[in-house]
Structures are given as C-alpha cells and as structure tokens.
Amino acid sequence: MVPVGISPEDLQTQRADLAALQSATGLGEMLPETPRLCPAARLQALSRQVHDGLRVALDCHGADLARLVEGRYEVQHRIGEGNLAFIYQARDPVLNRLVAIKVLKDPAQRGPFMDDLADAVRASEEPNFINIFDAAREQSTAYCVMQQVQGRSLQSLLHELRGLRSAGERSSAMSVQTLRQVFVRLVAAMAPR
C-alpha cells in the first residue's frame, strides 16, 4: 500500500491499521497528491519494490533466482518443473536472446542436480541436444542457463504416444523408427565417457 497525499504521521493518526500494513511491506514513502510532481526515479523505485514484493509473494524461487542473476539475466516467468528444479524463461540482455534457467528446488539435492548438470553438459556436445551456456553453484542454490527451445517436451510426447497406444491408434507424428532413434540418441548422450 502506498499512501497518496497524506503524511506518515497523519496516516498513523487516522488509520493505524494501514500505517502498520505499510510499515510491514517496507513501502514507507508517500506519493504526492499529484503524481506528475513525483520524481520519475522515485516512481520507478517504488514500482520495482512493488513488483519484487509481488514476485516473492507469488513465486519465492523465481524471486530468489532473479536476485541471484540480477545484472546478467532478466528472469521473466516459470515455464516448467522437473524432479529437482524449476525452469524459468529469462532474457540475456548482453546477447539479446531468450534462455531457460534451471534452478535447484531443494539445496539438499545439490549432488544429484550437479550430476544431472554434468550429464547435460556432456549431452550438449551431441547433435540435436540443447546447449548449456552458464552454470553456478551458490551457497543456497545451484542453477544452469541453457538454450531455450520452443516446442513440446519429451514427456508430453510420451504421454500422447501412450494414450494413442492404449486407444489402439497409430501416431502420424512419429513412427516407431523415429522414436527408436530418439532413444538411441538419448542413451548415447547420457552414457559415461
């Protein structure tokens, strides 16, 4: 809550409940009655503070990630979730491209996450696999930045194929031979070297 055209003292006197709420949110500055009189930098700072507060309230992992990569990547929104990590779409302003950032859900799972990351880096050398651009291990979390690919996930494709098979239909989108090739490539990419 941001009071408009009322001093903090008057707010405390007239509406102690709102003053307490404002204090708890950290929005201590008052805006002038006429927004045009408010300096742009103050409005921008207040807007950022409200935005960050909403992000934390709605998605604490995304907010933590945004703080962690601030200045390098601009986290936009969550696009998926796996067993060990949340996946976010972000923008790389230096290279002007969209990327996906996979961030660890639970710090206790750091070992398996880093093993998966090592496998992903190894697989990224294979044709038809995504590229890994960046990775970091912080005290409280770990993340990797990778190429964002548009399209369907392997999981959704497998669910579709399972549904078609149980219904006795054949998929026109993918033949058994094509599916076999996908799995052969997956196995080759994940094999230890």
Side-chain angles (χ1 to χ4, degrees):
M1 168 172 142
V2 180
V4 176
I6 185 170
S7 71
E9 297 79 24
D10 287 344
L11 183 64
Q12 180 62 43
T13 303
Q14 296 171 17
R15 293 290 308 268
D17 57 334
L18 293 180
L21 178 61
Q22 177 189 359
S23 176
T25 61
L27 299 174
E29 288 192 47
M30 153 185 103
L31 293 176
E33 274 186 62
T34 310
R36 283 178 273 139
L37 300 177
C38 189
R42 190 163 158 202
L43 283 175
Q44 187 176 24
L46 186 59
S47 173
R48 182 75 184 151
Q49 191 174 0
V50 170
H51 181 266
D52 289 348
L54 287 172
R55 175 176 268 172
V56 169
L58 298 175
D59 181 2
C60 62
H61 287 95
D64 289 345
L65 176 62
R67 277 191 294 276
L68 192 62
V69 300
E70 186 173 19
R72 180 60 184 98
Y73 300 102
E74 299 165 357
V75 178
Q76 296 178 343
H77 60 277
R78 188 184 298 184
I79 57 174
E81 179 177 350
N83 290 333
L84 299 176
F86 294 112
I87 301 104
Y88 291 86
Q89 177 177 294
R91 185 176 163 281
D92 179 344
V94 173
L95 299 175
N96 193 27
R97 66 180 171 194
L98 291 178
V99 295
I101 303 179
K102 191 182 256 192
V103 63
L104 181 62
K105 286 181 184 179
D106 177 5
Q109 296 294 321
R110 179 185 304 250
F113 181 81
M114 296 310 291
D115 291 344
D116 285 355
L117 179 56
D119 289 341
V121 168
R122 197 171 33 256
S124 71
E125 297 169 359
E126 298 289 331
N128 303 313
F129 280 82
I130 61 166
N131 293 309
I132 306 293
F133 301 134
D134 193 5
R137 237 183 9 201
E138 302 293 328
Q139 266 187 310
S140 61
T141 192
Y143 68 89
C144 70
V145 180
M146 63 188 91
Q147 174 184 6
Q148 183 178 358
V149 179
Q150 299 299 320
R152 298 172 45 191
S153 70
L154 179 59
Q155 182 181 24
S156 71
L157 181 61
L158 291 174
H159 283 294
E160 178 186 326
L161 290 172
R162 187 178 307 133
L164 291 173
R165 192 181 76 212
S166 63
E169 299 176 27
R170 295 197 128 207
S171 170
S172 60
M174 179 174 281
S175 69
V176 172
Q177 180 62 28
T178 304
L179 188 57
R180 186 173 297 135
Q181 290 172 357
V182 168
F183 284 111
V184 166
R185 289 180 182 155
L186 280 171
V187 169
M190 300 313 256
R193 293 184 182 181

